[in-house]
Amino acid sequence: MDRRSFIAGGGASTIAFAARPAFAQDAYPSHPITIINAFPPGGVNDLVTRPLATALEGVLKQPVVVETKAGAAGAVGAQVGATAKPDGYTLLSHNNGISGYAEVDRLFGRQPKTTREDFIGLARLVADPCAVLVNDQQPYKTLKELVDDVKAKPDAIVYSSGGLYGASHLPVALLEKSVGGLKMRHLPTNGGGPAITACLGNNAQLTCQTVSATIQHIKSGKLRALATFGAQRSKVLPDVPTLKELGYNAEYYLWVGIFTPKGTPATVVTLLNSAINKAANSDQFKAVVAGLGQDPGYLDAAAFTKFWEADGKIADELVRSIGKQS
C-alpha cells in the first residue's frame, strides 16, 4: 500500500468512526428515561405515574424511572421539568396546578418562573372529579349542613390542600365562589397525600381531593364525601350527589398530564406521543386506573393541548379569585 492509499484509507476510517457516535446519539431512546413527579407519594400523580412508567418500559424497551421532586404545590417539580435538557430523557408528571403558576407570580408582581409555554403537553392520563370531604369526627351528613354551619361560624372549619394555588386548593376556591359567603381557614401542605393525612388526623376538618386518592378512606368510614365536582355521579360513589345536582354551578377535575420541555425535537415528541398512547391504552395501565376508581380521561397530545388551553384560563380565574395569600 502506498502512502496516498494509506492516508485515503485512514481518512475514510476516521469519517466512518466519527459517523458512528453521531448515529448512536440520534437513536432514541438509548438510555433510561426519568419522569419527574412533582408531588409526594400518596396523591393521584404518584398513583397514576408509576403504573404508566411501568407500561412505558415495555413500549420503549428502556427503564423509565419516577423521581419525586415535591414542594411548593408542585412548583418545584415544574421548574425542574422546565429547565431539564429538552432531549426526551426527562419528562414531567403534573396536574392542574401547572396551569396557574404564572398567574400566581403575576398576582404578586413577580416575573413568572414557569409558564404554560415552557412545556409541550404529551397526554392527559386521567381526569378525576374531586369530592368535598370531611373526616369522621365531623357531624355533617350533607353539604347543606356544612354550608349552614360555616356561614354561621366563619373560620371555624379548617380545610387542607396540597399547597397554595395548587390543584386541590382551586376546587375549594370554586366551591366558595359557587356557594358564596363561605369563610374557612386554609392549611396548605406539600401535596395531595399530606393534605389527606391532615384531614384524617383532624388537623383539618375538610379537604377537596380526588375520588381515586381517597376512595379507600371513604369506604373505611374515615372520610365522608358530601358532594362531588363531576358532571355525573361517580360510579364508585353512586349515593353521593354532584354539586350541580345541589344547585351549584361547579365542575372540577384533577387531571394528570405528561409533559416534555419546549425545544424537544419534533421526532422525539412524535415518538413519545405514540409510546404514551400505547402505554396509557394498555390493558396493564387501564386495569390499574380502574382499580383506583378512575373513569377514563385519556387525551392524546392534540386533544390535550386544546383542553389545556381552556383549562388554563379557568385556573387563572380561580387564582385571581383567591387573591394574595401567604
Side-chain angles (χ1 to χ4, degrees):
M1 178 184 294
D2 62 23
R3 184 173 181 273
R4 283 176 299 178
S5 298
F6 178 80
I7 293 172
S13 298
T14 302
I15 292 169
F17 180 78
R20 280 196 296 270
F23 179 82
Q25 287 173 0
D26 290 338
Y28 175 87
S30 60
H31 58 81
I33 294 166
T34 296
I35 302 178
I36 300 298
N37 172 29
F39 299 93
V44 66
N45 265 76
D46 185 66
L47 295 173
V48 169
T49 303
R50 293 187 184 278
L52 178 81
T54 300
L56 266 179
E57 288 186 347
V59 178
L60 295 173
K61 309 303 181 186
Q62 288 289 344
V64 181
V65 180
V66 178
E67 185 176 333
T68 298
K69 295 287 184 182
V76 171
Q79 290 177 41
V80 173
T83 57
K85 186 177 180 180
D87 57 6
Y89 289 99
T90 303
L91 309 180
L92 173 68
S93 171
H94 217 291
N95 61 24
N96 310 51
I98 199 171
S99 300
Y101 292 143
E103 193 63 27
V104 172
D105 283 332
R106 284 190 283 266
L107 185 68
F108 285 88
R110 303 186 297 249
Q111 181 68 27
K113 297 181 183 68
T114 58
T115 69
R116 294 193 286 273
E117 289 70 33
D118 290 329
F119 304 96
I120 298 170
L122 298 175
R124 189 185 78 177
L125 301 179
V126 295
D128 196 11
C130 283
V132 182
L133 301 155
V134 294
N135 65 42
D136 60 357
Q137 298 181 49
Q138 306 313 307
Y140 316 113
K141 299 296 190 296
T142 66
L143 184 66
K144 184 179 186 305
E145 291 176 356
L146 170 70
V147 169
D148 289 346
D149 201 39
V150 172
K151 287 184 175 181
K153 297 181 289 185
D155 286 330
I157 290 287
V158 176
Y159 70 90
S160 60
S161 82
L164 282 167
Y165 309 104
S168 59
H169 187 191
L170 297 184
V172 179
L174 181 57
L175 177 66
E176 290 175 331
K177 181 180 178 181
S178 302
V179 174
L182 294 187
K183 192 175 181 183
M184 299 180 287
R185 287 184 289 149
H186 186 198
L187 173 63
T189 68
N190 67 339
I196 294 167
T197 299
C199 193
L200 288 169
N202 203 37
N203 293 311
Q205 290 77 56
L206 178 145
T207 191
C208 288
Q209 303 292 334
T210 64
V211 172
S212 64
T214 56
I215 187 65
Q216 60 178 322
H217 303 302
I218 296 170
K219 287 183 175 180
S220 72
K222 296 295 184 181
L223 293 178
R224 188 180 308 121
L226 303 181
T228 64
F229 284 81
Q232 295 88 29
R233 292 194 180 197
S234 168
K235 292 178 182 177
V236 295
L237 295 174
D239 297 328
V240 179
T242 67
L243 284 166
K244 286 191 172 183
E245 283 182 70
L246 298 175
Y248 303 115
N249 185 27
E251 188 174 337
Y252 184 91
Y253 301 85
L254 195 155
W255 51 263
V256 175
I258 299 293
F259 304 84
T260 189
K262 72 174 181 180
T264 302
T267 53
V268 173
V269 171
T270 299
L271 192 152
L272 282 169
N273 288 340
S274 175
I276 293 171
N277 184 62
K278 289 178 183 177
N281 285 288
S282 67
D283 291 341
Q284 175 187 12
F285 180 74
K286 289 195 291 187
V288 172
V289 170
L292 294 172
Q294 289 268 10
D295 290 327
Y298 176 79
L299 294 178
D300 65 15
F304 179 40
T305 298
K306 184 176 180 181
F307 165 83
W308 192 27
E309 182 179 356
D311 192 74
K313 293 177 181 177
I314 295 172
D316 289 345
E317 291 174 5
L318 290 175
V319 167
R320 290 192 291 268
S321 75
I322 292 170
K324 289 185 179 181
Q325 290 191 12
S326 58

